Amino acid sequence: MRNGNIVILTGAGISAESGLQTFRAADGLWEGHKVEDVATPQAFERDPALVHAFYDARRERAAAVEPNAAHRALADLEAAWSGEFLLVTQNVDALHERAGSRTLIHMHGELNRGWCLACGERFAWEGAMGEQVPCPSCTDVGQVRPDIVWFGEMPYEMERIETALRGCDLFVSIGTSGAVYPAAGFVQTAKYCGARTLEINLDPSMGSIFFDEHRHGPATVEVPQWVKEMLSSLRA
Ligand code: BV8
């Protein structure tokens, strides 16, 4: 498929071999809390200290690990691809950009960004946030939250994503369980609009039936192999 338009969706599974916990594996709990119970505006309202501790721990962990061969292979494919290429990640870590990906959307936000509820500004953030930090923009104290899309909140850049899904020739889902919407519905939009669909995952996801092709195995094995085949098709 030379020069077609590609949309790739990634989830926690692509960062697993870098050492970051996934959500729904056995280890998918954090300090005994289900993510769905911590990653919500209600949880933040009820117990901001707990939610800040959850994200401070993940921000620290994500800064301490490295991108893996799957992240790097996607960056190589993007650099070599002459058709349109969009990488949409559900992940809030920065491993894709650190591996060199450029055309990237963090639809569920980023650990390395903050959002001030007093003035509405969003900004880069490193290190612990906690409850009593001043906003770097309006200096208001105690109104800064992680710039993360919680359950019940609208994911970012949905218009741009939907347009890319409707216009793509190939949709590839990597390392996601297909448990969370709207991301889990992207394959159906792409398929309905005529794209070929490929799932690369450790095991079949909840949306497996919607995919034309499946490659099941660890991302650091399956993604570089798939990218190698895509790049050799460019030289053919
Ligand atoms: C929305 C940021 C509407 C947080 C995340 C009731 C009220 C409100 C909404 C709902 C509701 N009921 C249902 C919904 C919709 C809800 C939803 O889908 N809920 C689910 C639980 C049913 N969705 C939402 O709320 C979304 N918003 O609907 O807004 C709206 C409309 C108009 C106006 C306003 C609002 C927002 C969802 C975003 C939530 N935030 N993340 C954070 O990160 O802390 S979601 C969170 O789970 C992650 O970000 C990730 O995106 C998502 C899915 O997880 P995965 O990435 O797939 O990870 P998982 O562990 O599940 O799977 C890993 C996979 O990798 C596995 O399949 C495994 O086999 C594989 N794997 C493991 N190791 C490897 C591997 N593969 C390859 N190699 C390996 N080595």
Side-chain angles (χ1 to χ4, degrees), residues 12 17 23-24 55 58 90 108 149 152-153 176-177 181 201 219:
E17 289 161 273
F23 288 85
R24 283 163 198 86
Y55 286 100
R58 286 177 61 202
Q90 301 173 86
H108 290 162
V149 177
E153 297 185 325
T176 180
S177 62
Y181 288 84
N201 205 57

Side-chain angles (χ1 to χ4, degrees), residues 19 32 34 47 63 70 83 88 91 98 129 132 143 148 151 159 161 175 190 204 210 215-216 224 236:
K34 272 164 54 85
D47 190 348
V88 181
N91 299 338
R98 286 173 55 197
M129 189 176 276
Q132 294 307 322
Q143 291 296 310
I148 297 266
F151 287 96
E159 285 268 307
I161 296 169
F210 297 112
R215 296 182 184 215
H216 291 146

